[in-house]
Amino acid sequence: MTKSYIPNWLKQRVFLTPSRVALYAEDTSLSFSELYEKVIDRCNRLTSIQLQEESYVGVLINNTKEAVIILHSLQQLGITAVLLNHRLTPIEMGFQISDIGMNTILYDQEFESKMNELKNVTPRLRMISFDSIDHLPLANRFIPKERFEMDATCSIMYTSGTTGRPKGVQQTFGNHWWSAMGSVLNLGLTEKDEWLCAVPLFHISGYSILMRSVLYGMPIRLYKKFDEKKVNQDILAGSGTIMSVVSSMLHRLIDDLDSIQYPDSFRCMLLGGGPAPKPLLEECIEFNIPVYQTYGMTETASQIVTLPPEYSISKLGSAGKPLFPCEIEIWDKRKKLSPFEEGEIVVRGENVTQGYYNREEANKENFVDGWFLTGDIGFMDEEGFLFVKDRRSDLIISGGENVYPAEIEEVLLGHPLVKEAGVTGIESERWGQIPVACVVISKEIKSEELIAYSREKLAGYKVPRQIYFVDSLPRNASNKLLRRELRKWIDK
Amino acid sequence: MTKSYIPNWLKQRVFLTPSRVALYAEDTSLSFSELYEKVIDRCNRLTSIQLQEESYVGVLINNTKEAVIILHSLQQLGITAVLLNHRLTPIEMGFQISDIGMNTILYDQEFESKMNELKNVTPRLRMISFDSIDHLPLANRFIPKERFEMDATCSIMYTSGTTGRPKGVQQTFGNHWWSAMGSVLNLGLTEKDEWLCAVPLFHISGYSILMRSVLYGMPIRLYKKFDEKKVNQDILAGSGTIMSVVSSMLHRLIDDLDSIQYPDSFRCMLLGGGPAPKPLLEECIEFNIPVYQTYGMTETASQIVTLPPEYSISKLGSAGKPLFPCEIEIWDKRKKLSPFEEGEIVVRGENVTQGYYNREEANKENFVDGWFLTGDIGFMDEEGFLFVKDRRSDLIISGGENVYPAEIEEVLLGHPLVKEAGVTGIESERWGQIPVACVVISKEIKSEELIAYSREKLAGYKVPRQIYFVDSLPRNASNKLLRRELRKWIDK
């Protein structure tokens, strides 16, 4: 076995098609050669402060042109980018920083005040704003690599999974490459393709678009924040052929449409974050929006299962079939189940992470014979279409963000008056789902107080919107919290 | 380093898109599930005679539906297919058979008489006609693999290279996979794609189309032999979006066209076997034929460099730039040269063979630091466009077949009256090039006699069309034959 390599993909892209547009953002565009020039400039400046000697560097970004440049610069420098979610609290961020043991963070100056707060938590962290990079001296010593090693870790993104403590998902260059190949074999590729990106670049949904852009030689149209009016305006004007969304975004796009249909040039609405309801899919048909539902996670470097539009009604509720290089099975106690039997969804493929950073125990539990045990529950029908019944740890997906009940419960349990806590998601028209909590308390306390307490420790989207005070929580014989039951209680 | 795998690609394709057309051939069509059913039938029959215990099996095929089925069956059985060129003489075929040490050959019954001749050369070889496979009992014991190992050898094709003795190029599943990925990133992929295959399936040009079909979920339209009228008729009727050709085929297609243009649905004429002359390219523009010139070889599992149509005139004579996963350099004595300096073309990428079968010496010579030394001579311009000046060993490309002068010279030198022999190619309107020989003889002999002698030992397309009797051959100081000089002599 020899190591596998791919040419340094940005360098190769610039060599092959220098003048193609790489990026539309902030009312300007950058060709691949212009992008590369800026990337090499940043690399030269960052080597003046020996950044290339770091193995892991945190990045705190928004969806900006400079973020794209910095993410590529880290690939060029051979540094693993640790993508931080800017909605996290300083405590949450601090955990990830110390978990990796990183020394340096590069941040967009719009997060200056967040950085000031973070200083209290991580006083020794070197913080470098994007603005200040411009003022670093040009070292001009930087020589880009000829090739990327497939097995080298390109990026790390945190996810919680089956326990409340977040884990760093290591994504290799190979994982990103294979993900992009699986996608192209499924969706095809034309010279007119342009991918609209209004999902965060620090999530795999956005980061994977950035990779596809380079590998396919395809422009990204990047939105700083999702604005249904602006996106519709662009699509109706013929810009964009593919877009990644979650259902709350799709709702807003359709609500904004009135009676105008999407043009035929728009060929794929890639919908993640859980199956879409029938009325939404019917509306999409009406508005000429071809919806590809998908199932994927940070550990699979983006989509791993997709449902093409022709099946959206006949296979309602299904996430589809795996991408070409990927496999899916349903297991119970490490045994493969038959069609329609419900069990754990396990996945395999070169796009699947090789493991969590520094989590030997979790890696042992979650990886078996090359299969990754997702913790999600589902079944396959007789044709092999996947139906996802429950996300792992009763995952709540709120506006495209993953919210893990266990993480919120841990925070609530940290309050001196809370004896037991159970968190679940309830339906929300705007966000898909929002988290709510049931608590058993030892002494009376107002729900506002508990919410305020949570807000100090948790990103806003994770803070429970309502607190229900109960006498006990539903548990099974081995005392395991039954969050599904919780949901039923609240619905009553 | 763990081993890399891909799902069993035919099985996966059938699982994902069972009803898509896989093949149009002999006035019928086969969907992927129909194709797979036939493949599994053949596997079940072939296991009744323990074929799966063989590591290497020869195949002698024409471009037929059954050949496609058999080639897939060998992949399913985990047997390396050794693709024999049916134009070879029994002696040439016998060499390849004993070189591999194979026990069994599967052959199309149309080559029955060829097989009878071959029996004299390889009396112990088990010969199984496609027809007779149908009469084998159904073992029904065959269980298809879940995955293919990327590093396992899928196919072997013989090529001569720098010495006259043919060498078996080992092509892994990974080589074919990466080749197909490189191609899709260059040419794109749409639902309407259909690849016309009138090049031999036993050559990499045809075999690679078969692989793309499965990986992309795209139909092949297979022609038993190239017939310009039939192909034009199909293309003008809207069938086929991509076609692989050599220039002699392209000439014939254009000559047949009169004044009708190709429809816009036809989006790529992939032209191999050397750069096209300007008048031909101009005619292609006139007839709305988008020509992608390519450079590739058996060792790179098909094209590795391509020139898109927009450059065909401005970069006249160039083969283009590498496919995305591939790299090219120009070397002299293992040192990289600068633009416009002529040297040996070296290539690198996961599509490149890991080596020749059982040729330690040649492998040591031809593979350096992951680079494959092609033996071809060329240069790159300042933008990185490759210009191929001379094919290795003065390779002659005649009607898409590789003809190695050294191989013909060896045969001529075997004649008792021939003291020296030098072979080169001359222009031919129909074939691109044809081989001719210059010989130094010890006693008078007629050229017809030498031609007849060659015909016994060489495939028809390799037999020199003319013999020139000379007093001496042009050689350099170290007595190496200068075949380029030979060409100049003959032109006079």
Side-chain angles (χ1 to χ4, degrees):
Chain A
M1 283 297 306
T2 49
K3 285 184 183 175
S4 286
Y5 294 92
I6 4 181
N8 173 338
W9 50 44
L10 182 59
K11 188 164 179 273
Q12 179 81 338
R13 176 48 64 199
V14 174
F15 170 47
L16 296 180
T17 57
S19 55
R20 280 199 204 163
V21 175
L23 184 67
Y24 295 104
E26 299 149 44
D27 297 319
T28 60
S29 70
L30 279 183
S31 69
F32 281 102
S33 69
E34 289 165 337
L35 171 61
Y36 189 55
E37 206 179 293
K38 288 183 192 298
V39 166
I40 296 303
D41 173 88
R42 301 306 179 271
C43 290
N44 271 315
R45 292 183 196 278
L46 288 166
T47 48
S48 78
I49 53 164
Q50 278 72 49
L51 197 78
Q52 76 283 1
E53 287 168 19
E54 306 279 352
S55 302
Y56 301 89
V57 165
V59 278
L60 194 65
I61 54 175
N62 219 325
N63 275 16
T64 64
K65 191 172 75 180
E66 192 61 27
V68 170
I69 295 166
I70 292 297
L71 291 177
H72 277 302
S73 299
L74 290 172
Q75 292 189 355
Q76 294 298 321
L77 289 162
I79 297 169
T80 302
V82 183
L83 292 121
L84 302 167
N85 184 335
H86 61 69
R87 299 171 73 179
L88 299 185
T89 61
I91 293 169
E92 292 172 310
M93 241 179 244
F95 170 77
Q96 300 185 9
I97 289 163
S98 71
D99 189 53
I100 295 284
M102 63 176 111
N103 304 313
T104 307
I105 188 170
L106 306 181
Y107 70 96
D108 188 318
Q109 45 285 354
E110 85 173 82
F111 302 116
E112 195 70 56
S113 67
K114 198 136 217 159
M115 286 296 103
N116 283 328
E117 292 172 53
L118 186 61
K119 270 179 197 148
N120 301 323
V121 183
T122 59
R124 279 206 295 265
L125 188 69
R126 176 164 68 155
M127 297 174 174
I128 301 169
S129 75
F130 291 175
D131 265 358
S132 72
I133 297 174
D134 273 352
H135 301 112
L136 293 173
L138 263 174
N140 280 332
R141 280 191 308 257
F142 178 70
I143 297 160
K145 287 179 209 288
E146 288 302 314
R147 301 192 288 173
F148 291 152
E149 198 192 315
M150 290 285 249
D151 276 337
T153 305
C154 172
S155 50
I156 290 184
M157 297 177 195
Y158 273 79
T159 172
S160 282
T162 40
T163 69
R165 203 166 152 229
K167 301 189 286 290
V169 178
Q170 302 179 94
Q171 298 157 338
T172 62
F173 284 91
N175 292 151
H176 291 303
W177 167 272
W178 282 84
S179 166
M181 293 307 105
S183 183
V184 78
L185 290 179
N186 184 43
L187 298 178
L189 178 65
T190 81
E191 283 176 6
K192 292 179 193 128
D193 276 335
E194 179 186 313
W195 207 301
L196 304 185
C197 179
V199 288
L201 285 173
F202 58 79
H203 276 185
I204 188 59
S205 55
Y207 194 89
S208 64
I209 298 172
L210 191 58
M211 295 303 96
R212 289 183 206 115
S213 162
V214 177
L215 300 179
Y216 302 172
M218 170 191 72
I220 299 181
R221 192 170 291 267
L222 188 67
Y223 298 90
K224 194 156 176 202
K225 62 190 287 288
F226 174 64
D227 173 345
E228 59 269 33
K229 286 204 190 322
K230 184 133 190 28
V231 171
N232 275 337
Q233 205 177 330
D234 287 341
I235 291 176
L236 295 173
S239 287
T241 59
I242 306 180
M243 183 175 187
S244 302
V245 293
V246 294
S247 59
S248 59
M249 292 163 75
L250 190 49
H251 270 298
R252 284 166 59 186
L253 286 169
I254 287 176
D255 287 349
D256 177 63
L257 268 182
D258 272 334
S259 59
I260 314 164
Q261 282 201 324
Y262 270 22
D264 289 338
S265 57
F266 186 84
R267 65 185 192 84
C268 167
M269 188 67 88
L270 205 62
L271 175 65
K278 196 171 173 191
L280 179 61
L281 294 168
E282 284 170 340
E283 277 189 300
C284 287
I285 293 169
E286 198 183 308
F287 286 104
N288 194 33
I289 306 177
V291 176
Y292 290 73
Q293 294 181 76
T294 71
Y295 165 74
M297 59 210 81
T298 311
E299 287 90 338
T300 60
S302 165
Q303 20 146 5
I304 183 160
V305 174
T306 67
L307 185 73
E310 60 266 37
Y311 290 107
S312 69
I313 300 297
S314 64
K315 294 286 179 185
L316 191 73
S318 171
K321 290 186 178 178
L323 294 183
F324 195 87
C326 311
E327 295 165 277
I328 300 255
E329 288 184 0
I330 305 293
W331 285 12
D332 182 36
K333 300 191 186 73
R334 306 201 171 176
K335 231 192 85 227
K336 188 180 168 178
L337 298 182
S338 302
F340 297 107
E341 289 183 322
E342 232 175 83
E344 183 169 13
I345 302 166
V346 302
V347 300
R348 189 161 71 172
E350 300 284 335
N351 58 317
V352 177
T353 180
Q354 291 170 12
Y356 300 108
Y357 180 79
N358 208 8
R359 291 286 193 285
E360 216 177 302
E361 198 64 28
N363 289 338
K364 236 186 260 166
E365 269 172 37
N366 290 295
F367 295 87
V368 176
D369 299 335
W371 292 92
F372 169 62
L373 283 56
T374 65
D376 294 342
I377 303 300
F379 67 88
M380 282 200 208
D381 71 8
E382 75 289 1
E383 292 176 83
F385 284 89
L386 176 71
F387 290 77
V388 182
K389 298 307 288 179
D390 263 300
R391 297 299 294 250
R392 56 180 162 187
S393 323
D394 310 286
L395 174 66
I396 300 160
I397 302 181
S398 186
E401 294 280 0
N402 286 354
V403 179
Y404 296 92
E407 199 180 340
I408 304 172
E409 289 158 7
E410 214 174 281
V411 165
L412 288 169
L413 288 168
H415 191 280
L417 300 186
V418 174
K419 283 166 62 188
E420 291 181 47
V423 169
T424 187
I426 61 166
E427 305 281 306
S428 151
E429 200 161 303
R430 176 157 187 139
W431 303 112
Q433 288 184 297
I434 48 171
V436 298
C438 295
V439 291
V440 180
I441 48 174
S442 55
K443 217 178 107 183
E444 207 169 319
I445 179 171
K446 280 191 184 150
S447 63
E448 291 74 28
E449 269 183 68
L450 280 179
I451 290 174
Y453 174 82
S454 305
R455 198 176 301 282
E456 277 171 36
K457 302 193 187 306
L458 291 168
Y461 62 89
K462 298 181 189 170
V463 174
R465 297 301 197 286
Q466 276 177 32
I467 308 277
Y468 297 89
F469 296 98
V470 295
D471 292 334
S472 67
L473 291 177
R475 295 188 183 272
N476 68 8
S478 52
N479 212 32
K480 194 174 169 285
L481 180 64
L482 299 171
R483 297 198 188 93
R484 279 206 247 182
E485 291 297 312
L486 217 55
R487 214 177 304 162
K488 286 185 204 154
W489 282 17
I490 291 167
D491 284 347
K492 275 174 201 163
Chain B
M1 282 298 305
T2 50
K3 283 182 183 176
S4 287
Y5 293 92
I6 5 182
N8 173 336
W9 52 43
L10 182 58
K11 190 164 178 275
Q12 179 81 338
R13 176 48 63 200
V14 174
F15 170 47
L16 297 181
T17 58
S19 54
R20 279 198 205 163
V21 175
L23 185 67
Y24 295 105
E26 297 149 45
D27 296 320
T28 61
S29 69
L30 278 184
S31 69
F32 281 102
S33 69
E34 289 165 337
L35 171 61
Y36 190 54
E37 206 180 293
K38 288 182 193 295
V39 166
I40 295 302
D41 173 89
R42 301 306 181 273
C43 290
N44 270 315
R45 293 182 196 278
L46 289 166
T47 48
S48 77
I49 54 164
Q50 280 72 51
L51 197 77
Q52 76 283 4
E53 288 169 19
E54 307 279 352
S55 302
Y56 300 89
V57 164
V59 278
L60 194 65
I61 55 175
N62 220 324
N63 276 15
T64 65
K65 190 171 73 180
E66 192 60 27
V68 170
I69 294 166
I70 292 297
L71 291 179
H72 277 300
S73 299
L74 291 173
Q75 292 190 354
Q76 294 299 319
L77 290 162
I79 297 169
T80 302
V82 183
L83 292 122
L84 301 167
N85 184 335
H86 61 69
R87 299 170 75 180
L88 299 185
T89 63
I91 292 170
E92 292 171 313
M93 240 178 245
F95 170 77
Q96 299 184 9
I97 289 162
S98 72
D99 188 52
I100 295 285
M102 64 176 110
N103 303 313
T104 307
I105 188 169
L106 307 181
Y107 70 96
D108 188 318
Q109 44 283 352
E110 87 173 80
F111 300 116
E112 197 69 58
S113 67
K114 197 134 220 166
M115 284 297 104
N116 283 329
E117 291 173 56
L118 186 62
K119 270 179 196 147
N120 301 324
V121 183
T122 60
R124 278 206 296 266
L125 188 69
R126 177 165 68 155
M127 296 174 176
I128 302 169
S129 76
F130 292 174
D131 264 357
S132 72
I133 297 174
D134 274 350
H135 300 112
L136 292 174
L138 263 174
N140 280 333
R141 280 191 309 258
F142 178 69
I143 297 161
K145 287 179 211 285
E146 289 301 315
R147 302 192 287 175
F148 291 151
E149 198 191 315
M150 290 285 250
D151 275 337
T153 305
C154 172
S155 50
I156 290 183
M157 297 176 194
Y158 273 79
T159 173
S160 283
T162 40
T163 70
R165 202 166 154 230
K167 299 187 288 288
V169 178
Q170 302 179 98
Q171 298 156 338
T172 62
F173 285 92
N175 292 152
H176 291 304
W177 167 273
W178 281 84
S179 165
M181 293 307 106
S183 183
V184 78
L185 290 179
N186 183 42
L187 298 178
L189 178 65
T190 82
E191 283 175 5
K192 292 178 192 131
D193 276 336
E194 179 186 316
W195 207 301
L196 304 183
C197 179
V199 288
L201 285 174
F202 58 77
H203 275 183
I204 188 59
S205 54
Y207 193 89
S208 63
I209 297 173
L210 192 57
M211 296 303 96
R212 288 182 207 118
S213 162
V214 177
L215 301 179
Y216 303 172
M218 169 192 73
I220 298 180
R221 191 169 291 268
L222 187 66
Y223 298 90
K224 195 156 174 199
K225 62 190 287 288
F226 173 65
D227 173 345
E228 59 271 32
K229 287 205 186 326
K230 185 131 190 26
V231 170
N232 275 336
Q233 207 178 328
D234 287 341
I235 291 176
L236 294 173
S239 290
T241 59
I242 307 180
M243 183 175 189
S244 303
V245 295
V246 293
S247 59
S248 59
M249 292 162 76
L250 190 51
H251 270 297
R252 284 165 61 186
L253 286 169
I254 286 176
D255 286 349
D256 177 63
L257 269 182
D258 271 336
S259 58
I260 314 165
Q261 280 201 326
Y262 270 20
D264 289 338
S265 56
F266 186 85
R267 66 186 190 84
C268 167
M269 187 67 87
L270 205 61
L271 175 65
K278 196 171 172 192
L280 179 60
L281 294 168
E282 284 170 339
E283 277 188 299
C284 287
I285 293 168
E286 197 181 310
F287 286 104
N288 194 32
I289 305 176
V291 176
Y292 290 73
Q293 295 182 75
T294 72
Y295 166 74
M297 60 210 80
T298 310
E299 287 90 337
T300 60
S302 167
Q303 18 144 5
I304 185 161
V305 175
T306 67
L307 185 73
E310 61 265 37
Y311 291 107
S312 70
I313 301 297
S314 64
K315 293 286 177 182
L316 191 74
S318 171
K321 289 184 178 180
L323 294 183
F324 195 85
C326 312
E327 296 164 276
I328 300 252
E329 288 183 1
I330 305 293
W331 284 12
D332 182 36
K333 299 190 187 74
R334 306 200 170 177
K335 230 191 86 228
K336 188 179 169 179
L337 297 182
S338 303
F340 296 107
E341 289 183 323
E342 232 175 85
E344 183 168 14
I345 302 167
V346 301
V347 300
R348 189 161 71 170
E350 299 284 335
N351 58 317
V352 177
T353 181
Q354 292 169 12
Y356 301 108
Y357 179 80
N358 209 6
R359 289 287 193 287
E360 216 176 303
E361 197 63 29
N363 289 338
K364 234 184 267 170
E365 268 172 40
N366 290 295
F367 295 87
V368 176
D369 300 334
W371 291 93
F372 169 62
L373 283 58
T374 65
D376 294 341
I377 303 300
F379 67 88
M380 283 199 211
D381 70 9
E382 75 289 1
E383 292 175 83
F385 284 88
L386 176 71
F387 290 77
V388 182
K389 298 309 288 179
D390 263 298
R391 297 299 295 248
R392 58 183 161 183
S393 324
D394 310 285
L395 174 67
I396 300 160
I397 303 182
S398 185
E401 295 279 1
N402 287 353
V403 179
Y404 296 91
E407 199 180 342
I408 305 172
E409 289 159 6
E410 211 173 284
V411 165
L412 288 168
L413 288 168
H415 191 281
L417 299 186
V418 174
K419 284 166 61 187
E420 292 181 47
V423 170
T424 187
I426 61 167
E427 305 280 305
S428 151
E429 200 162 306
R430 177 159 186 136
W431 303 112
Q433 288 183 295
I434 47 170
V436 299
C438 293
V439 291
V440 180
I441 48 175
S442 56
K443 218 179 104 184
E444 205 168 320
I445 179 172
K446 280 191 182 148
S447 61
E448 291 75 27
E449 269 182 71
L450 279 180
I451 289 174
Y453 174 82
S454 305
R455 197 175 302 282
E456 277 170 38
K457 303 194 187 306
L458 290 168
Y461 62 89
K462 299 180 190 171
V463 173
R465 297 303 197 285
Q466 277 176 33
I467 307 276
Y468 297 89
F469 297 98
V470 295
D471 292 333
S472 67
L473 292 178
R475 296 187 183 271
N476 68 8
S478 53
N479 211 32
K480 195 173 168 285
L481 181 63
L482 299 171
R483 296 199 187 93
R484 280 205 245 182
E485 291 297 310
L486 217 56
R487 214 177 303 162
K488 287 186 204 153
W489 281 19
I490 291 165
D491 285 349
K492 274 173 201 162

